[in-house]
Amino acid sequence: MIVDVYLDKALPQIDQLYSYAYGGEDAAIVGKRVIVPFGRGNKPETAVVLRIGKDEGKKLKSVIQVLDRRPILTESAIALGMKMREIFVTSYVQAFQPLLPKYVLGGVEEVAVKLIDDEEVAGIFQGAEALATEKIPTDKLDRLIEAKKVAVRFRGTQPVKKRVVEKYVASGDYDGPMTEKQALVFDLLKNSPPLSKAEITKRTGLSTSPVDSLIKRGAVAPADPDAAIPDRAPVLRKDQVAAIEGIAESKRPVHLLYGKTGSGKTEVYMQLAQRAMDEGKSSLIIVPEIGLATQMVHRLSARFPGKVDILHSRRSEGEKAAAWIRLKEEPGRIVVGARSAVFSPVPELGYIFIDEEQEESYDYREGLRYNVRDVAEMRVRFEGGKVVYGSATPSVITYARCGEDVELHRLVGDPKKTEASPVEIVDMREELFKGNVEILSERMVEGLEEALKAKKQAILFINRRGYSQFVSCRSCGHVIECDACDISMVYHRRTHRLHCHYCGRTKPMPRTCPVCGSEYLKQFGIGTEQVESWIKNKFPEARVYRMDKDTMAQKGNYEKVYEAMNEKKVDILVGTQMLAKGFDFENVVFVGVVAADLSLFVSDYKAQEKTYQLLTQVAGRAGRGKHKGRAVIQTYNPDNYSIQYAKERSYEPFFHREMEERKRFLYPPYVHLVKIHIRGTGDVDQVALNWKKTLEAINKHEQFDMLVANPVEQPKIKNKRHVSILAKVWPKEFRPLLKALKRVLMYYYRTQAEKEITISIEIDG
């Protein structure tokens, strides 16, 4: 038998499948990890079998060892990886790494788990509940599996650090086989409140081994500390029932749940997830920010105790591996996480819910440049299940698909509870005429004063962190830039240093201009740090918190801020766009947007859309509870259509105006944008010119009607120059272009003379 494998090597020059001879009789080898000899020195490398190969009569090296008894990648996962490689024009390694991340490849092993504790089994396991399969002879293990005395499971090899004393609950629907000791533990947890391991061992007189085994199987799960009081589903409104039934009964795989802020979209997710759970299927709930995962987990754990897992980059490697194993082994769970949770290895997929689907954070721009929406839709087409997008401000591209391949469901909300908070626009030019040169307008200060006087909370939003945005010399005009990037450095008052927000470098704030020696250095622009400082000076009695990338860098800080807001320990919360994305604090009655113009004048065809969405989302944080709220938006461009429509929360008029603009200037969804990025330290200009000629040659040869722009110099980042080339291509020509680009890219990497230059392709970015 011939098998084709991929190696986890991030070298584009070897981006291909390698064929090996396999002398075993395992017809189900596809999806398993193997050890193969690689390169001239035949160095043993771990690889994954992706398919059965063709025997072309060539002499091949042989597979040394098969590591897994069960496939670690399912057929649908392999199909997804192959499709991502094609659609996102990328390598095998980048396409499969999210499906088999490092914490799985290097942190998960196969073990045999006892099902029956008879004399034969006891002699092999020597008191252990589980044993690595490699420690049991193959023929003996086969016989024990066939006799149903043991089962093969995955186990994490890295320790999971416990932050608190964890308590456990029995999974109500688990009915798998158990040893006598395990059954004793399971029955105890089934008929008692959550217990810690110490409490379990004290009550049963057993060791922790049966508990650990039950946890690995998913029969016992950690209890959420905030889920002591179970949450019951509320009485649903007619529009929620209609949406739930419409999505559940529909034959279409992709749905948009469109409802204004506070209209109950999360309850629809939970009701549909319950239906999936009743059928033994799992659901994924994807949120745009890690901080929102905490809020979502609190709600879900109260409704589904012991059934919720969390997956995101701030979890430890051991925690992620443990969650990965639970998801793979036990159907009927709910996964909450940020972007990468879309790759969760659930055995039976019910739903993928993508909350705040319009968010740009769902577009990953490093390594595998993927879009979460595309991945989700690929998954349900391979595995079954449905994608549900949820948003109060859907992306223009998604909304344009409604009626064609996306089914639209509207939530109108409860008119008594979802009355929108009034939004006031303040023209900052008039503030200047009145002599107010402060950061906040008079109306903004009044709003804060009223909230503080009423013992309520306020949120101030500015989409830039730091104290000032750049430092310039007023004598010669020199702007201090990063030594490694063509980007102005941002002054941070807390560290009294200049920071580069692209590469992370810092340097001391100079006393004099490095060019002319003048002492007239001035900080321009404002950020969250300066707004926080201004507020503390203006309202010294107020408890002010800041929420941005700087303050949230430490693990657990999201949870701390979330809890502090809910416990009313914060009066004013200042932050960046992470505040806009779904945070639900019922005591917030005032929201202020300090500078609505920051997202307007950027080189991005989505600038108006992002501004509308951001302002609408931020304003929606006010008046979420019983108390009426209001919002104030400061701007120097009050007549801009995105700001005006955001004030009125008029999505459909905005959508139609935006579609007119995109049709006029040829932007998605009318065309696809294909951008080629050339980065490196070599002759970037020549490589860029060659790629432009290549695009023009493809255009002519394939008789496309593609528009190819000239190469554009982008800011240097981390001492690497960056040039991009933009092509606009019609939908019918899009797939043929991607195939042609993939062939060219493979040829480039195998023949390139400039080893220090990398090429990446971005779609509709």
Side-chain angles (χ1 to χ4, degrees), residues 646-693:
K647 176 189 175 185
E648 303 300 329
R649 293 179 173 88
S650 303
Y651 178 77
E652 291 190 352
F654 167 78
F655 168 78
H656 292 301
R657 171 69 186 272
E658 182 67 9
M659 287 290 281
E660 288 173 9
E661 296 293 317
R662 295 194 185 187
K663 187 175 184 179
R664 179 183 172 195
F665 294 106
L666 287 183
Y667 283 113
Y670 295 102
V671 298
H672 284 289
L673 301 183
V674 177
K675 188 176 284 188
I676 298 175
H677 297 279
I678 302 101
R679 296 179 175 89
T681 55
D683 193 350
V684 173
D685 293 322
Q686 186 58 51
V687 173
L689 187 60
N690 292 343
W691 272 96
K692 181 175 187 290
K693 290 177 180 177

Side-chain angles (χ1 to χ4, degrees), residues 490-704:
V490 177
Y491 174 65
H492 285 238
R493 192 176 189 178
R494 183 178 59 84
T495 59
H496 191 55
R497 293 179 70 85
L498 297 171
H499 292 241
C500 176
H501 287 177
Y502 284 78
C503 73
R505 292 190 180 205
T506 71
K507 60 184 177 184
M509 174 71 183
R511 293 178 179 274
T512 58
C513 174
V515 172
C516 71
S518 167
E519 295 181 356
Y520 296 105
L521 289 176
K522 183 172 174 58
Q523 301 151 16
F524 292 88
I526 57 174
T528 50
E529 199 177 346
Q530 187 175 164
V531 173
E532 177 195 29
S533 177
W534 194 93
I535 292 294
K536 284 180 175 179
N537 288 332
K538 182 72 176 177
F539 304 104
E541 302 301 318
R543 296 166 297 176
V544 183
Y545 272 53
R546 176 160 54 94
M547 190 176 192
D548 57 23
K549 192 174 179 180
D550 298 319
T551 61
M552 295 298 105
Q554 190 174 344
K555 193 174 183 180
N557 280 5
Y558 283 101
E559 291 85 351
K560 289 176 184 175
V561 171
Y562 176 72
E563 288 170 8
M565 283 293 288
N566 272 334
E567 293 169 7
K568 302 177 177 58
K569 294 178 180 177
V570 181
D571 296 317
I572 301 172
L573 182 61
V574 179
T576 54
Q577 65 184 26
M578 60 180 67
L579 289 176
K581 301 173 185 178
F583 273 117
D584 191 353
F585 301 118
E586 64 174 21
N587 208 43
V588 171
V589 296
F590 179 76
V591 169
V593 179
V594 177
D597 314 282
L598 290 180
S599 56
L600 273 179
F601 304 109
V602 293
S603 180
D604 185 350
Y605 74 95
K606 296 179 184 175
Q608 299 286 345
E609 177 184 5
K610 289 177 184 176
T611 300
Y612 173 83
Q613 290 166 343
L614 204 51
L615 296 181
T616 306
Q617 292 285 334
V618 173
R621 300 307 108 204
R624 303 277 291 189
K626 302 172 186 176
H627 316 287
K628 287 188 176 182
R630 69 186 184 98
V632 170
I633 297 173
Q634 296 183 171
T635 177
Y636 287 93
N637 298 273
D639 298 325
N640 178 274
Y641 71 87
S642 65
I643 294 175
Q644 285 296 324
Y645 285 131
K647 176 189 175 185
E648 303 300 329
R649 293 179 173 88
S650 303
Y651 178 77
E652 291 190 352
F654 167 78
F655 168 78
H656 292 301
R657 171 69 186 272
E658 182 67 9
M659 287 290 281
E660 288 173 9
E661 296 293 317
R662 295 194 185 187
K663 187 175 184 179
R664 179 183 172 195
F665 294 106
L666 287 183
Y667 283 113
Y670 295 102
V671 298
H672 284 289
L673 301 183
V674 177
K675 188 176 284 188
I676 298 175
H677 297 279
I678 302 101
R679 296 179 175 89
T681 55
D683 193 350
V684 173
D685 293 322
Q686 186 58 51
V687 173
L689 187 60
N690 292 343
W691 272 96
K692 181 175 187 290
K693 290 177 180 177
T694 298
L695 285 172
E696 290 170 341
I698 293 172
N699 201 21
K700 184 176 181 181
H701 182 268
E702 301 290 343
Q703 296 184 324
F704 288 164

Side-chain angles (χ1 to χ4, degrees), residues 187-422:
D187 289 340
L188 171 66
L189 289 174
K190 207 169 183 181
N191 298 297
S192 69
L195 299 173
S196 68
K197 284 186 182 180
E199 290 168 329
I200 295 169
T201 56
K202 187 176 180 180
R203 291 198 191 187
T204 61
L206 301 173
S207 70
T208 60
S209 184
V211 186
D212 293 333
S213 298
L214 290 170
I215 293 169
K216 284 165 189 164
R217 292 191 205 179
V220 165
D224 188 272
D226 300 303
I229 302 173
D231 173 59
R232 294 188 179 183
V235 176
L236 298 173
R237 302 187 313 269
K238 288 182 180 179
D239 58 332
Q240 288 177 307
V241 172
I244 292 165
E245 296 299 332
I247 293 169
E249 301 299 325
S250 174
K251 296 280 194 277
R252 287 190 179 183
V254 186
H255 301 261
L256 172 62
L257 184 63
Y258 167 47
K260 291 183 178 180
T261 303
S263 59
K265 293 184 287 294
T266 304
E267 185 58 41
V268 173
Y269 303 159
M270 291 199 283
Q271 295 279 343
L272 290 169
Q274 178 67 70
R275 292 191 180 203
M277 198 178 284
D278 293 342
E279 298 172 6
K281 295 180 178 179
S282 297
S283 297
L284 315 180
I285 301 182
I286 316 297
V287 293
E289 289 281 354
I290 292 172
L292 294 181
T294 302
Q295 179 173 291
M296 189 69 77
V297 167
H298 276 259
R299 294 190 64 177
L300 290 165
S301 295
R303 185 78 59 88
F304 310 106
K307 286 291 185 180
V308 182
D309 286 286
I310 184 166
L311 268 181
H312 56 63
S313 60
R314 293 192 186 276
R315 307 287 279 180
S316 71
E317 298 291 279
E319 286 173 321
K320 287 187 281 190
W324 188 92
I325 293 166
R326 276 196 303 274
L327 296 171
K328 196 166 181 67
E329 301 285 8
E330 184 188 348
R333 297 191 70 81
I334 297 176
V335 187
V336 182
R339 193 170 46 214
S340 60
V342 77
F343 299 105
S344 301
V346 295
E348 293 287 334
L349 181 61
Y351 290 95
I352 301 177
F353 303 101
I354 300 181
D355 197 35
E356 308 289 357
E357 71 82 28
Q358 77 283 351
E359 289 297 338
E360 193 176 24
S361 58
Y362 288 134
D363 300 323
Y364 188 59
R365 302 184 185 279
E366 296 177 20
L368 171 63
R369 304 174 75 91
Y370 67 88
N371 180 311
V372 169
R373 306 167 197 80
D374 292 338
V375 173
E377 292 187 28
M378 289 179 205
R379 276 199 75 165
V380 298
R381 288 190 168 98
F382 288 130
E383 301 176 49
K386 293 172 183 173
V387 175
V388 179
Y389 297 126
S391 181
T393 54
S395 66
V396 169
I397 291 174
T398 298
Y399 201 75
R401 294 172 62 199
C402 289
E404 297 177 12
D405 53 353
V406 175
E407 190 169 319
L408 176 63
H409 308 268
R410 295 177 186 271
L411 291 182
V412 296
D414 185 341
K416 297 176 184 177
K417 294 183 180 179
T418 58
E419 183 179 345
S421 302

